[in-house]
Amino acid sequence: GQNIDQPTEMTATEGAIVQINCTYQTSGFNGLFWYQQHAGEAPTFLSYNVLDGLEEKGRFSSFLSRSKGYSYLLLKELQMKDSASYLCAVRDQSNKLIFGAGTRLAVHP
Amino acid sequence: DGGITQSPKYLFRKEGQNVTLSCEQNLNHDAMYWYRQDPGQGLRLIYYSQIVNDFQKGDIAEGYSVSREKKESFPLTVTSAQKNPTAFYLCASSNPPGGANQPQHFGDGTRLSIL
């Protein structure tokens, strides 16, 4: 079956760094996406990885290891507005997105 | 501005009633998707369409129906056969992947509840 695992909840301090992990087992692999979703709102696209390695985009970076079925999202210089759910999604061999349940991040002062 | 518009934002359904959720996009995207989101669960795919006049069932299509008569529109009908319709419904669109980064863009969602 297809499975994407990520922690349910995390907490971190304003100004700190947090790493959100995602492991996956899917039917084929055509890229991994990270989305941010504030409560009651639409998910917004953060990053995309299809090759192994690190992709950096401002305060956010995402890493992928295809051999390990593993990705992480790294958030630096945390701000209160970063409190949200972070969704990991893998595009499978039929080009459908398979989503994890999301990680709810709470940033506190 | 280009984007995806879902309406209504909130919807209430009575027993035995069919309701239709609207999704319109002006991004000129070929592919459109409907997801359901329940608390503590990931987004689950209901239906998707990669081209006008064609659509496929997702993982939880039972009790739902769709149409794709126009490129920009992909309405979802929640039928009375769907016994647990209370959820947050999200519509998304993208261009078909071609080896490049083609993220799905989401609308603001419709929250459906049973009266």
Side-chain angles (χ1 to χ4, degrees):
Chain A
Q2 309 211 87
N3 197 48
I4 299 191
D5 287 317
Q6 44 181 139
T8 304
E9 292 185 0
M10 298 183 72
T11 59
T13 306
E14 195 174 14
I17 299 173
V18 71
Q19 177 175 311
I20 303 174
N21 295 325
C22 171
T23 58
Y24 63 89
Q25 291 175 304
T26 56
S27 303
F29 179 84
N30 280 327
L32 186 144
F33 296 82
W34 284 96
Y35 284 84
Q36 180 191 61
Q37 185 180 25
H38 286 97
E41 297 183 10
T44 54
F45 168 70
L46 289 178
S47 70
Y48 170 74
N49 295 72
V50 68
L51 300 176
D52 290 351
L54 189 68
E55 293 284 339
E56 297 187 79
K57 194 186 286 188
R59 293 189 299 115
F60 293 2
S61 304
S62 57
F63 172 83
L64 175 67
S65 169
R66 288 171 297 171
S67 62
K68 295 182 179 177
Y70 168 70
S71 172
Y72 67 72
L73 180 69
L74 194 71
L75 292 74
K76 303 176 189 174
E77 301 168 16
L78 280 172
Q79 302 174 11
M80 298 298 290
K81 67 178 182 179
D82 296 329
S83 293
S85 288
Y86 292 86
L87 312 180
C88 174
V90 172
R91 190 159 60 199
D92 69 7
Q93 62 189 15
S94 60
N95 289 321
K96 292 188 294 182
L97 278 187
I98 312 299
F99 282 85
T103 298
R104 197 161 50 247
L105 174 66
V107 179
H108 53 83
Chain B
D1 276 357
I4 302 176
T5 302
Q6 289 188 241
S7 62
K9 192 170 178 67
Y10 299 96
L11 187 59
F12 297 92
R13 195 192 88 169
K14 296 179 181 177
E15 288 288 334
Q17 185 181 42
N18 292 354
V19 292
T20 298
L21 284 61
S22 169
C23 178
E24 303 278 331
Q25 55 100 359
N26 60 4
L27 299 167
N28 201 33
H29 285 167
D30 291 312
M32 297 187 74
Y33 311 82
W34 273 106
Y35 294 93
R36 171 182 171 137
Q37 188 173 34
D38 294 279
Q41 296 191 40
L43 277 66
R44 292 183 290 167
L45 183 64
I46 304 172
Y47 268 97
Y48 63 106
S49 168
Q50 302 213 0
I51 197 167
V52 176
N53 292 323
D54 188 43
F55 51 83
Q56 288 79 40
K57 292 181 178 179
D59 300 318
I60 54 165
E62 186 173 349
Y64 300 97
S65 66
V66 293
S67 63
R68 186 83 188 280
E69 297 175 2
K70 297 187 295 183
K71 185 175 184 178
E72 58 270 22
S73 180
F74 192 41
L76 173 74
T77 296
V78 184
T79 75
S80 56
Q82 173 48 247
K83 298 306 179 189
N84 183 25
T86 297
F88 189 46
Y89 291 86
L90 286 160
C91 178
S93 71
S94 71
N95 274 326
N101 172 6
Q102 295 288 354
Q104 292 183 14
H105 299 267
F106 287 84
D108 287 336
T110 293
R111 194 165 296 277
L112 176 62
S113 302
I114 294 185
L115 279 179

